[in-house]
Amino acid sequence: MSNRRHILNADAFDQLFDALRDAGYTTVGPTLHDGAIVYDALTCAADLPVGWIDVQEAGRYAVQDTGSGRYFDYTVGPHTWKRFLRPPREPLFEAIRSGAGVAFHAAAAPEETYALMGVRACDLAALGVLDAVLTGQTYVDTRYATRRSRAFVVAVQCARAGNTCFCVSMNTGPRASAGFDLALTELKDAGRHVFVVEVGSPRGATIAAALGLRDSTEEDWAAARAVSAATAANMGRQLDTTGLVSLLQQEAENPLWNDIAQRCLACANCTMVCPTCFCTTVEIDSDLEQTRASHTQVSDSCFHASFTQMHGGPPVRDTTSARYRQWLTHKLSTWHDQFGHSGCVGCGRCVTWCPVGIDLTAEAARLRASHEERA
Amino acid sequence: MTTRLKLAVWKFASCDGCQLQILDCEDELLVLAEVVDIAYFKEATRHEDPGPYDLSLVEGSITTAHDAERIRQVRAQSRILVTIGACATSGGIQALKNFDDVAVYKSIVYATPAYVSSLATSTPIADHVTVDYAIPGCPIDKTMLLRFLSALLAGRKPDIPTHTACVACKHSGVACLMVRGIPCMGPVTRAGCDALCPKFARGCFGCFGPSETANVDALIAQWREMGVDEATIMRAFHTFQAWAPPFRQVGDVVKSQTSPSRGASQGQGRQGHD
């Protein structure tokens, strides 16, 4: 047991970046860009937003430099890991005219081998949701599956909860217990700055072996657990999921949906920042000479009219009310029917990144209150 | 295999910027000239072939009685008529005159107002004749135009996005400006520019006009929360797409919703459109 938990000194953190690079990984993770902590390529620990935190509220986001020297005190930002594992545009195939016929060429298999640095428990759960949707069904998204199976996951156990976080309600965090190759808990006090390193897989063990690690003590492990307990006690939001699956389906005709639609921009931001939203459409292109055509998978949203457009009529969901209802009930209710678990992991992105601050937890609570009032 | 379309490009009240986007298709221009027969395009050549035309691209709005008649003739000669740009599609920035008394402007601007023969309004082409497709933008995006032409040549339904510009921001990885305190029209504006302004941390100006579900009231309510004053709200919506519903109604929204507690002088945070 003890040999699966170690201590890495923060001043040796670059060893992890070097080991991942030597093993052939392209490391991507949080970095400060244009006033937001986004996910991008990282070459060393200094590329992380050292000392920065994010301040989030419904429809509000800002970053602050605390000067703490800590590597991971922000929570999750505008980007998700979908950006790398299932990018918004994916080539599918090309058709090329040759003589009297047409030759079809499948898009080349993805070559990227990512190390995802700083995956939080909620996002780890989100990857599990995507795995179930994209690889656990009859039709497998092979491009996602390829990148996902190669990806090395460095989880980070959250030391701060954001104001829009509710992973505790969704039972996805704040402590990740599986699904990572390595997991880091950052400990910093007057005397020391270290990471407690948990090894979660043989692949993780191989990388760990290349680092200058020493064994952790029971005190280190207790301190790491205490970090997660404190974070769990500070969730900015909560969502009561008791009976929610059937409650929402019973509230399909609640006038509150129209009230939400008055405020909703139907801009699709919530779906685009959601780490589990997976819907796509196909874009067709051809050249002017009509010698080449290509199909591209493009991320789409249930807030778009075209999403339920069928031949010869208005879209099936013709109002913002119907589209918001679809989104929220799919996430929190019918996802269970479809895949056997929730589509929401409690990361809070849809709350923070809604331009008008519509709060999924607040709307679900209002629907519950309305339901109970009538019961 | 290819169908050689006979193309005409027409100008009405406009700045020529959309026609220039066609000429700006530098890498594709030679191929374009091969696959379409450019029969009438005064911005490019004085050569002209008589109609009828398979495809007419129409730039500009209708601001004179003469043009109101001319667009009928263009329509009569065109199998497919496509408006290109904000002027042709929604009346353009010159539609600002629709909100005011043109006679007053004429008397102020021109030494002899009687010489000016124009209508009191600037109206979109679709107010006068049937339009088959509308390509939005001020100016149009040349990639969208080329995709449109490619689809038409292949006999495929053209794909002209109507959803919000937010999608382009998300695809490009731009963190939402609104949420970071910068007023942006992206959530009510249709995609097509690939988030040109937000990529430079500038709020969207709404060049591509209202998105399919533009909830202008909700966006304005949020702008007020952010401290944007009423005059700035009016100015933001009353530019290139002023006459496009629901941007057209923003004047009424601003007047009806102005309340003492939401003063007009808290202009802080309005970085996007100064």
Side-chain angles (χ1 to χ4, degrees):
Chain A
M1 182 89 169
S2 65
N3 68 348
R4 297 183 61 79
R5 293 190 206 117
H6 313 273
I7 291 290
L8 173 67
N9 284 335
D11 59 16
F13 196 13
D14 275 339
Q15 289 178 10
L16 177 55
F17 289 81
D18 295 343
L20 290 168
R21 183 167 42 244
D22 292 347
Y25 292 104
T26 301
T27 299
V28 291
T31 192
L32 194 62
H33 178 74
D34 258 356
I37 295 167
V38 300
Y39 297 151
D40 208 341
L42 304 175
T43 56
C44 60
D47 288 344
L48 292 163
V50 186
W52 288 83
I53 60 164
D54 47 13
V55 180
Q56 306 196 29
E57 252 311 327
R60 302 280 166 86
Y61 177 95
V63 287
Q64 286 175 6
D65 187 0
T66 65
S68 70
R70 291 175 59 95
Y71 284 103
F72 293 107
D73 264 3
Y74 37 86
T75 58
V76 294
H79 288 180
T80 73
W81 302 104
K82 285 195 297 193
R83 181 158 194 78
F84 303 99
L85 301 181
R86 197 166 187 255
R89 297 182 65 85
E90 286 267 42
L92 295 177
F93 69 84
E94 249 196 333
I96 299 172
R97 213 186 281 281
S98 55
V102 177
F104 289 86
H105 304 273
E111 291 182 351
E112 308 90 319
T113 305
Y114 290 117
L116 312 180
M117 175 67 71
V119 181
R120 306 309 175 102
C122 57
D123 279 348
L124 210 47
L127 291 179
V129 172
L130 285 184
D131 291 347
V133 173
L134 301 177
T135 70
Q137 309 281 311
T138 310
Y139 301 101
V140 171
D141 182 333
T142 54
R143 300 179 68 80
Y144 171 84
T146 301
R147 293 194 189 95
R148 174 72 170 113
S149 64
R150 285 182 193 158
F152 188 96
V153 175
V154 182
V156 162
Q157 312 287 15
C158 288
R160 254 185 86 244
N163 288 335
T164 57
C165 287
F166 56 104
C167 62
V168 168
S169 298
M170 303 317 293
N171 202 25
T172 57
R175 189 154 200 95
S177 53
F180 52 78
D181 296 299
L182 294 174
L184 311 177
T185 308
E186 187 174 13
L187 300 177
K188 187 172 193 291
D189 54 35
R192 63 173 189 166
H193 189 187
V194 299
F195 295 104
V196 175
V197 181
E198 296 165 73
V199 176
S201 71
R203 199 159 53 175
T206 305
I207 292 294
L211 309 177
L213 300 174
R214 53 198 159 79
D215 285 346
S216 68
T217 63
E218 280 307 313
E219 288 73 31
D220 295 328
W221 182 234
R225 303 283 299 180
V227 164
S228 296
T231 306
N234 280 301
M235 289 286 121
R237 292 285 195 279
Q238 54 179 347
L239 178 66
D240 182 359
T241 58
T242 318
L244 196 59
V245 172
S246 68
L247 186 152
L248 288 172
Q249 292 180 27
Q250 289 167 50
E251 293 305 315
E253 302 302 328
N254 195 308
L256 280 174
W257 298 114
N258 294 330
D259 173 76
I260 299 166
Q262 296 285 309
R263 290 172 282 136
C264 176
L265 297 163
C267 62
N269 274 326
C270 49
T271 61
M272 299 281 158
V273 298
C274 177
T276 68
C277 272
F278 58 84
C279 288
T280 56
T281 184
V282 173
E283 209 171 87
I284 306 173
D285 276 292
S286 53
D287 62 356
L288 288 165
E289 303 102 310
Q290 293 178 67
T291 53
R292 263 167 199 275
S294 62
H295 282 213
T296 308
Q297 175 180 286
V298 182
S299 80
D300 199 7
S301 171
C302 49
F303 280 91
H304 296 161
S306 58
F307 192 79
T308 55
Q309 183 74 61
M310 303 216 202
H311 185 72
V316 174
R317 296 188 203 103
D318 203 17
T319 60
T320 297
S321 170
R323 292 176 204 165
Y324 187 88
R325 180 179 64 189
Q326 157 62 23
W327 180 71
L328 185 137
T329 48
H330 190 212
K331 221 32 68 173
L332 298 176
S333 172
T334 52
W335 204 295
H336 286 267
D337 300 339
Q338 193 177 3
F339 301 111
H341 47 79
S342 173
C344 175
V345 295
C347 72
R349 285 185 180 89
C350 61
V351 182
T352 298
W353 296 99
C354 171
V356 294
I358 294 174
D359 180 343
L360 165 135
T361 64
E363 300 307 340
R366 288 209 306 154
L367 286 156
R368 176 185 293 281
S370 170
H371 177 83
E372 287 168 357
E373 206 171 280
R374 278 186 290 102
Chain B
M1 285 299 281
T2 54
T3 320
R4 200 153 184 260
L5 284 177
K6 191 173 171 185
L7 173 75
V9 183
W10 308 93
K11 174 188 163 62
F12 287 80
S14 59
C15 76
D16 292 40
C18 292
Q19 293 185 71
L20 286 173
Q21 287 294 301
I22 305 173
L23 293 174
D24 197 32
C25 297
E26 292 175 351
D27 292 342
E28 298 84 4
L29 219 43
L30 289 176
V31 177
L32 190 62
E34 261 172 47
V35 296
V36 305
D37 168 16
I38 301 174
Y40 185 98
F41 186 6
K42 285 298 175 71
E43 184 89 24
T45 170
R46 68 179 60 150
H47 172 85
E48 62 180 87
D49 291 327
Y53 308 99
D54 292 314
L55 173 64
S56 276
L57 301 179
V58 178
E59 179 198 79
S61 68
I62 303 301
T63 57
T64 65
H66 171 257
D67 275 357
E69 176 49 35
R70 189 162 62 99
I71 189 62
R72 283 177 220 289
Q73 292 165 13
V74 169
R75 174 73 266 190
Q77 296 180 84
S78 310
R79 185 162 65 85
I80 301 168
L81 188 151
V82 180
T83 58
I84 54 170
C87 300
T89 303
S90 67
I93 196 160
Q94 59 272 27
L96 284 172
K97 73 176 186 175
N98 302 1
F99 299 93
D100 236 316
D101 184 355
V102 175
V104 175
Y105 290 131
K106 269 198 228 171
S107 69
I108 295 168
V109 174
Y110 297 100
T112 313
Y115 290 169
V116 181
S117 169
S118 77
L119 300 171
T121 54
S122 167
T123 44
I125 299 300
D127 282 8
H128 300 266
V129 297
T130 301
V131 170
D132 298 300
Y133 299 99
I135 299 180
C138 183
I140 58 167
D141 175 76
K142 65 178 183 181
T143 306
M144 193 193 287
L145 177 73
L146 288 167
R147 289 193 69 222
F148 173 84
L149 292 172
S150 303
L152 215 59
L153 288 164
R156 195 173 69 238
K157 185 185 169 217
D159 171 19
I160 305 169
T162 56
H163 57 66
T164 65
C166 298
V167 176
C169 268
K170 294 297 161 294
H171 285 189
S172 316
V174 176
C176 183
L177 299 183
M178 283 283 293
V179 173
R180 291 189 290 138
I182 302 170
C184 176
M185 291 178 71
V188 296
T189 300
R190 59 196 282 185
C193 66
D194 200 22
L196 188 59
C197 296
K199 279 178 182 167
F200 292 92
R202 300 285 301 192
C204 167
F205 288 82
C207 305
F208 277 68
S211 58
E212 60 194 13
T213 46
N215 187 347
V216 167
D217 291 2
L219 187 75
I220 289 176
Q222 188 68 14
W223 278 20
R224 287 185 176 126
E225 291 278 318
M226 297 163 80
V228 182
D229 63 72
E230 302 302 302
T232 308
I233 292 170
M234 271 294 283
R235 204 162 56 237
F237 283 92
H238 280 192
T239 59
F240 321 103
Q241 299 278 357
W243 199 240
F247 290 6
R248 192 195 294 185
Q249 287 82 29
V250 164
D252 305 330
V253 174
V254 167
K255 279 175 207 141
S256 72
Q257 292 189 6
T258 303
S259 67
S261 64
R262 287 171 164 170
S265 58
Q266 328 154 13
Q268 187 203 10
R270 185 84 190 112
Q271 300 162 35
H273 295 267
D274 288 359

